[in-house]
């Protein structure tokens, strides 16, 4: 039973009990029941507005998700966690490369991040080692 229905029941009880609205008690009860009716209407209006607001928030959330997918890419298929990280990179094994210094002929092992720097000093002799590769090398 809704609040409005309860107030309507209360009004019916008052009429059934034949309260005299001319007495002080009858006037007071009549005004109280009228105020309760107004409060019940306000509650129903607020519930309706709250439902509409919830629908709007859901629509905004869906739109925001679409914008995030557009801006950041849809990585949900690759990631099983609930965070915003780039977890698919964490699962890959790092790639290592062997580089021979032309000056001291020592072989050193470097990872892909070091290659992307473009150049490093040889840890053995201090000679500057430059790494050049084209897009065909990058795909291999």
């Amino acid at each position: 039973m809704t609040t409005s229905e309860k107030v309507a029941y209360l009004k019916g009880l008052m009429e059934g009990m034949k309260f005299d609205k001319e007495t002080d008690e009858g006037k007071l009860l009549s005004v109280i029941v009228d105020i309760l009716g107004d409060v019940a209407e306000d509650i129903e209006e607020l519930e309706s507005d709250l439902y509409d607001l919830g629908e709007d928030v859901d629509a905004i959330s869906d739109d925001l998700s679409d914008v995030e997918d557009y801006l950041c890419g849809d990585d949900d298929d690759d990631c099983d966690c609930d965070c915003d990280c780039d977890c698919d990179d964490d699962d890959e094994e790092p790639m290592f490369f062997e580089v021979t210094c032309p000056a001291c002929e020592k072989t050193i092992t470097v990872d892909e991040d070091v290659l992307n720097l473009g150049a490093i000093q040889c840890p053995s002799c201090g000679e500057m080692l430059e790494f050049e590769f084209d897009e065909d090398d990058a795909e291999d």
Side-chain angles (χ1 to χ4, degrees):
M1 184 179 262
T2 67
T3 307
S4 295
E5 292 170 339
K6 291 177 183 178
V7 172
Y9 174 74
L10 187 58
K11 280 185 179 182
L13 276 177
M14 279 184 55
E15 290 174 6
M17 297 173 83
K18 298 182 178 145
F19 269 96
D20 184 10
K21 293 183 181 179
E22 300 303 318
T23 65
D24 290 341
E25 294 84 10
K27 288 178 185 177
L28 179 64
L29 288 175
S30 178
V31 170
I32 289 173
V33 170
D34 288 341
I35 292 171
L36 287 175
D38 293 341
V39 170
E41 288 177 17
D42 290 344
I43 289 172
E44 287 180 0
E45 188 175 321
L46 286 172
E47 287 175 343
S48 175
D49 291 347
L50 181 62
Y51 177 80
D52 293 342
L53 183 62
E55 293 291 316
D56 291 344
V57 168
D58 288 343
I60 290 170
S61 177
D62 292 343
D63 291 345
L64 179 59
S65 178
D66 292 343
V67 169
E68 287 173 343
D69 289 346
Y70 177 77
L71 292 177
C72 302
D74 190 8
D75 293 335
D76 292 342
D77 298 332
D78 298 333
C79 182
D80 293 333
C81 69
D82 294 333
C83 64
D84 292 331
C85 65
D86 195 13
C87 293
D88 56 328
D89 288 343
D90 294 340
D91 295 338
E92 294 179 13
E93 291 292 323
M95 294 181 61
F96 293 100
F97 303 92
E98 288 187 352
V99 178
T100 303
C101 176
C104 67
E105 296 188 8
K106 296 263 181 167
T107 302
I108 59 172
T109 304
V110 296
D111 65 3
E112 191 173 5
D113 293 336
V114 173
L115 284 180
N116 289 333
L117 292 174
I120 62 167
Q121 282 187 328
C122 175
S124 298
C125 68
E127 179 77 21
M128 186 58 89
L129 303 176
E130 294 183 8
F131 309 112
E132 294 181 18
F133 55 94
D134 56 23
E135 289 187 31
D136 292 336
D137 294 337
E139 290 175 5
D140 294 342

